[in-house]
Amino acid sequence: MSIQTARLSDPAVRAFVTAVNAHDEEAIRSLLTPDATMADDGSDRDLVQWIDREILSSHGHMDVTKESAGGRALVADYRNDTWGEMRTKWSFTVEDDGRISRFETGQA
């Protein structure tokens, strides 16, 4: 059973999930620090390329099923046109200014 996005605890993570599901590139970028980094299945990736490939051009969508760590760790059913649907885990590092400086994702 999914958690309504509006009920996610951390405001930055809530905004990120909302932007991903809307495929809103401008909103996603505005939520990230200029030097933000990310990893997928334990390997650092090029953030801009990954967002384009895994979210924007492939219509990525997150259905969050569990949150922990004050809303900065999620389990979500993630789907996109490339890979179909899979259970994923996400963790976010949020800075004092409310922007995300790093996120890590991978299969759960």
Side-chain angles (χ1 to χ4, degrees), residues 13-53:
V13 173
R14 182 171 59 241
F16 181 85
V17 173
T18 300
V20 165
N21 290 348
H23 312 117
D24 186 337
E25 180 177 8
E26 191 174 311
I28 293 170
R29 294 199 195 293
S30 74
L31 294 166
L32 301 171
T33 62
D35 59 348
T37 61
M38 64 87 50
D40 186 354
D41 282 329
S43 299
D44 276 23
R45 306 282 186 202
D46 179 290
L47 179 71
V48 173
Q49 289 179 356
W50 190 92
I51 288 171
D52 182 59
R53 185 179 62 247

Side-chain angles (χ1 to χ4, degrees), residues 28-92:
I28 293 170
R29 294 199 195 293
S30 74
L31 294 166
L32 301 171
T33 62
D35 59 348
T37 61
M38 64 87 50
D40 186 354
D41 282 329
S43 299
D44 276 23
R45 306 282 186 202
D46 179 290
L47 179 71
V48 173
Q49 289 179 356
W50 190 92
I51 288 171
D52 182 59
R53 185 179 62 247
E54 301 293 337
I55 297 172
L56 300 172
S57 64
S58 62
H59 307 103
H61 188 88
M62 297 173 73
D63 286 319
V64 178
T65 57
K66 182 180 176 190
E67 68 171 359
S68 57
R72 293 185 180 179
L74 307 177
V75 174
D77 292 326
Y78 187 78
R79 66 181 180 274
N80 67 24
D81 295 346
T82 305
W83 306 107
E85 186 168 318
M86 66 189 83
R87 171 96 12 155
T88 56
K89 61 183 187 255
W90 298 73
S91 65
F92 297 86

